[in-house]
Amino acid sequence: MRVNRILLSSALVVVALVVQVTILGRLQLPGAVPDLLLLTVVALSLVYGPRSGALLGFGAGLLADLAPPADHAAGRYALVLCVIGYAVGLARPDNGRFRSAWGPLLTVVAAALGSTLLYAGVGALVGDTAARHVGLVGLMFTAALYDLLLAPFTVPFIMALARRAENDPMAVEANGGPAQGADVSSGWLAGGTGLRIGDPRGGLRLRASRGRAGRAGRIKGIKGVKSVKKL
């Protein structure tokens, strides 16, 4: 991994973990808890790909396993996020561009369901049956719901930061460059499609046509004056 990837990813993971432990983990919502750490891994994996996503997932999950008040075996969540990061990286389009918000949203839902199911499965292997008593179906539903509600406020911004740090041409396009291939991360909150409304080149063409019309009007006016003088 590149140095800028490591620095940015480490900072984002640490911030997400602090918010997760100090705020989201204390909301006492029914069912699951909104997983900001999972959303961070998903967003970075959508930009960096499967290999980097697996490494980021393992590191983020290991920090979550060691951070208080963790009450499960160390390495359990690291395995879960490692698999999720790799799978999400595989779901990344070849050109890295999402023309619709449905792609990232469905990825978030799949990651929430998959991480909950995988976490419960690993827990069953080590003798932890807490998910069975709480209700696995309810946990999966609430996890997907909470993460889906939180995703529009986190995933597009993390993706934009990651691309800016990578000097990705799409980051330039999203900030005033050519509109072709604009990614959903730059306009997810605005319209849900990632496509910007209006083309700056259309305005230039409109101004040019107005200029030509004005010049034609002046030329006609001058010719009219000359014809009057001759008469």
Side-chain angles (χ1 to χ4, degrees), residues 3 11 20 25 53 60 77 79 98 100 106 112 136 149 196 219:
V3 176
Q20 183 73 37
Y77 202 47
L79 175 61
F98 295 92
S100 171
L106 292 176
L136 182 58
L149 293 176
R196 291 180 293 179
I219 292 173

Side-chain angles (χ1 to χ4, degrees), residues 92-113:
R92 176 180 179 267
D94 293 334
N95 58 1
R97 293 169 176 169
F98 295 92
R99 294 184 177 276
S100 171
W102 287 109
L105 285 177
L106 292 176
T107 303
V108 168
V109 173
L113 295 175

